[in-house]
Amino acid sequence: MSRKASVPTQKTKFLRVKCPACGNEQTIFSSATTKVKCLACNHLLAETGASKIKLKTKVLKVFG
Ligand SMILES: [Zn+2]
């Protein structure tokens, strides 16, 4: 049984962001591969670029 070691090629961070539309705070993945929307109001918070995420809002805190 072969098992791939999960070694990330780039550092993955968690970003705490605040929705500019409704003020909801949520944590998103810096390496998200899909668009990230606010869980409360569906406002677009980030979309994916060529290699990293493009934030549409301010980052409150970075984890990891
Ligand atoms: Zn929102």
Side-chain angles (χ1 to χ4, degrees):
M1 186 167 139
S2 65
R3 199 173 151 203
K4 278 185 184 174
S6 59
V7 179
T9 52
Q10 64 189 64
K11 274 189 182 176
T12 300
K13 289 178 179 172
F14 293 98
L15 309 172
R16 188 77 179 165
V17 297
K18 188 172 187 176
C19 174
C22 74
N24 175 60
E25 288 184 17
Q26 68 187 67
T27 305
I28 65 173
F29 229 2
S30 68
S31 63
T33 53
T34 56
K35 286 181 181 176
V36 180
K37 289 180 178 178
C38 173
L39 295 173
C41 75
N42 232 27
H43 184 87
L44 184 65
L45 298 179
E47 56 185 4
T48 49
S51 60
K52 62 180 181 179
I53 199 163
K54 285 190 207 166
L55 289 166
K56 299 287 188 185
T57 183
K58 279 189 178 178
V59 176
L60 299 176
K61 206 173 178 183
V62 179
F63 303 93

